[in-house]
Amino acid sequence: MNQNPIAMVDLRGGYLAQQPDIDGAIKRVMESGWYILGQECAAFERDFAAWCGVSHAVGVGNGTDAIVIALRALGVGAGDAVFTVSHTAVATVAAVELAGATPVLVDIDPASFTLDPQKLEDAIRAFAASGAAGRPRAVIAVHLYGHPCDLRAIGDICRRHGVFLIEDCAQAHGAAIGGTRVGAFGDIASFSFYPTKNLGAFGDGGAVVTNDRMLAERAAALRQYGWKERYLSDLKGMNTRLDEIQAAMLGVRLARLDTESKTRREIADRYDAGLLAALTTPKVRAGTRHAYHLYVVRHARRDGLAAALKTAGIGSGVHYPVPIHLQNAYAGRIAMAASGLQETERAAAEVLSLPMHPFLSDGDVARVIAEVLAWTRV
Ligand SMILES: *Cc1c(COP(=O)(O)O)cnc(C)c1O
């Protein structure tokens, strides 16, 4: 029983896998004498945009600010309603309010845990007809856990209603629909490089990506006091910059991301094969590639399973236990979709994330499967 613990994530593993290159990147920046918005950030922005298959990337301080910047670059703010999900990281909804707009929360499709297109359309219509203050201006599609939203349907709805589409790709680096990577579908998209994300920095970081040059220019100005030129503020800006050391290290990590994503998919395949008979495993919509930021199963007695895994030295997590509309900070203030949020509340009670990172061994994966199966049999 004295087996090694198996953790949800292994951030140190990410450093050790590329230690000489990461140490070299840090040293290069330290010796350059230039620490904020220099050639490292510019080089990473070029590489990351190319990797995403878009024409522009703008590095910012974190994934929350990336969403704020995306909204503000589009001109979305006070008096505007932004439709998104309640089953997400609180950052998605916090960013809408930080931009001055009003979040309207819509239920999820229980198979993919992502925004339900039909309920989105119902919510936009109901909101417009309700006489509530604010006009529908944008949708934030969150590719939760790494599963791409149904962007074909959501994109159609956005066009029909004349609202912007923003993709929150914080959990979905490299997820794809029909071979096109997420981030390339919306008007603009946000990424986070928080250390646990699939492309993680060793500190905070984020980016917005877009094919629209004007939006990229506005984002670049907004991240630094609204400057178009030094000391000349064209816009009311923020200070949310990606620093040179993080950018240099992200460049190193990006070179290994496809390999790590492949490993995540192989682990997910093994979990699928081992666990499908015992509980509900992730379903991947046909034609899409899941990035497996998290491997999330469902079970009505989720807390019991988490406790059993803990006893066996296996980490797990709940993403997320309290939907945004039930959080103290946001309860009551948020205009709610007419269709209700039943699937969101059911998911919050049933989801459990199993260990998922590129440094799990075959033995680790087998042990997680065996412990889950043993628990479901008692
Ligand atoms: C992590 C995350 C964010 C916020 O990113 P930070 O870098 O932590 O600010 C936003 N949305 C989702 C879905 C996330 O998972």
Side-chain angles (χ1 to χ4, degrees):
M1 200 45 230
N2 59 347
Q3 286 171 302
N4 291 332
I6 302 174
M8 272 286 293
V9 296
D10 180 4
L11 304 184
R12 191 161 172 270
Y15 171 54
L16 297 179
Q18 294 180 288
Q19 188 169 8
D21 289 347
I22 290 169
D23 290 352
I26 295 170
K27 190 158 187 286
R28 183 173 75 233
V29 174
M30 291 315 297
E31 288 175 351
S32 76
W34 192 290
Y35 306 114
I36 289 274
L37 296 188
Q39 60 187 30
E40 298 287 349
C41 182
F44 173 70
E45 288 172 342
R46 273 194 305 277
D47 292 349
F48 189 62
W51 186 86
C52 291
V54 299
S55 37
H56 309 279
V58 177
V60 299
N62 57 68
T64 309
D65 286 350
I67 302 170
V68 176
I69 296 240
L71 287 162
R72 292 201 50 202
L74 290 165
V76 176
D80 294 330
V82 177
F83 295 75
T84 190
V85 284
S86 189
H87 186 61
T88 182
V90 74
T92 311
V93 178
V96 174
E97 292 208 347
L98 285 168
T102 304
V104 181
L105 301 183
V106 180
D107 211 1
I108 52 166
D109 150 40
S112 67
F113 296 104
T114 60
L115 183 59
D116 182 320
Q118 186 56 53
K119 288 179 179 170
L120 170 66
E121 176 131 53
D122 293 346
I124 294 175
R125 282 191 207 288
F127 187 85
S130 72
R135 61 191 167 133
R137 277 302 294 293
V139 169
I140 303 179
V142 184
H143 306 303
L144 201 72
Y145 307 152
H147 190 291
C149 293
D150 187 352
L151 285 183
R152 180 143 16 108
I154 293 169
D156 281 349
I157 292 164
C158 288
R159 274 185 293 279
R160 231 176 6 254
H161 292 271
V163 303
F164 296 118
L165 175 57
I166 299 167
E167 294 176 67
D168 180 349
C169 305
Q171 301 190 359
H173 313 69
I177 302 172
T180 301
R181 285 181 171 163
V182 299
F185 293 88
D187 294 287
I188 191 166
S190 62
F191 283 88
S192 166
F193 306 126
Y194 182 74
T196 61
K197 310 289 180 175
N198 287 25
L199 178 59
F202 297 90
D204 274 311
V208 296
V209 305
T210 179
N211 282 313
D212 184 323
R213 191 163 67 91
M214 198 197 70
L215 287 179
E217 282 172 4
R218 280 175 63 87
L222 286 165
R223 75 174 160 186
Q224 177 163 246
Y225 321 126
W227 282 352
K228 198 157 241 172
E229 280 175 50
R230 205 169 182 78
Y231 308 127
L232 295 177
S233 294
D234 261 19
L235 303 165
K236 292 182 197 172
M238 304 162 59
N239 172 8
T240 176
R241 300 174 289 218
L242 181 63
D243 73 67
E244 289 287 278
I245 290 182
Q246 296 303 333
M249 294 190 291
L250 282 165
V252 175
R253 297 277 288 125
L254 182 61
R256 201 169 181 277
L257 182 54
D258 287 330
T259 305
E260 293 194 356
S261 301
K262 188 162 161 279
T263 305
R264 284 175 186 269
R265 278 197 296 281
E266 287 164 1
I267 293 167
D269 286 346
R270 245 176 280 145
Y271 276 153
D272 282 348
L275 296 174
L276 185 58
L279 35 64
T280 311
T281 55
K283 276 178 201 57
V284 183
R285 194 179 319 104
T288 67
R289 194 169 67 204
H290 195 314
Y292 291 108
H293 172 59
L294 294 168
Y295 186 91
V296 176
V297 297
R298 284 186 94 121
H299 198 283
R301 289 181 294 122
R302 173 269 315 279
D303 292 336
L305 175 55
L309 291 175
K310 189 170 179 213
T311 304
I314 296 170
S316 65
V318 175
H319 302 89
Y320 295 90
V322 181
I324 313 299
H325 67 284
L326 300 177
Q327 296 275 352
N328 287 337
Y330 297 100
R333 230 166 50 256
I334 288 168
M336 231 164 314
S339 55
L341 294 160
Q342 295 89 341
E343 293 300 343
T344 294
E345 292 179 14
R346 200 160 67 86
E350 293 182 358
V351 292
L352 189 71
S353 308
L354 300 182
M356 172 52 83
H357 61 77
F359 308 102
L360 289 170
S361 68
D362 288 358
D364 292 338
V365 175
R367 228 177 91 206
V368 174
I369 292 169
E371 292 294 343
V372 173
L373 294 180
W375 176 80
T376 57
R377 283 189 200 113
V378 291

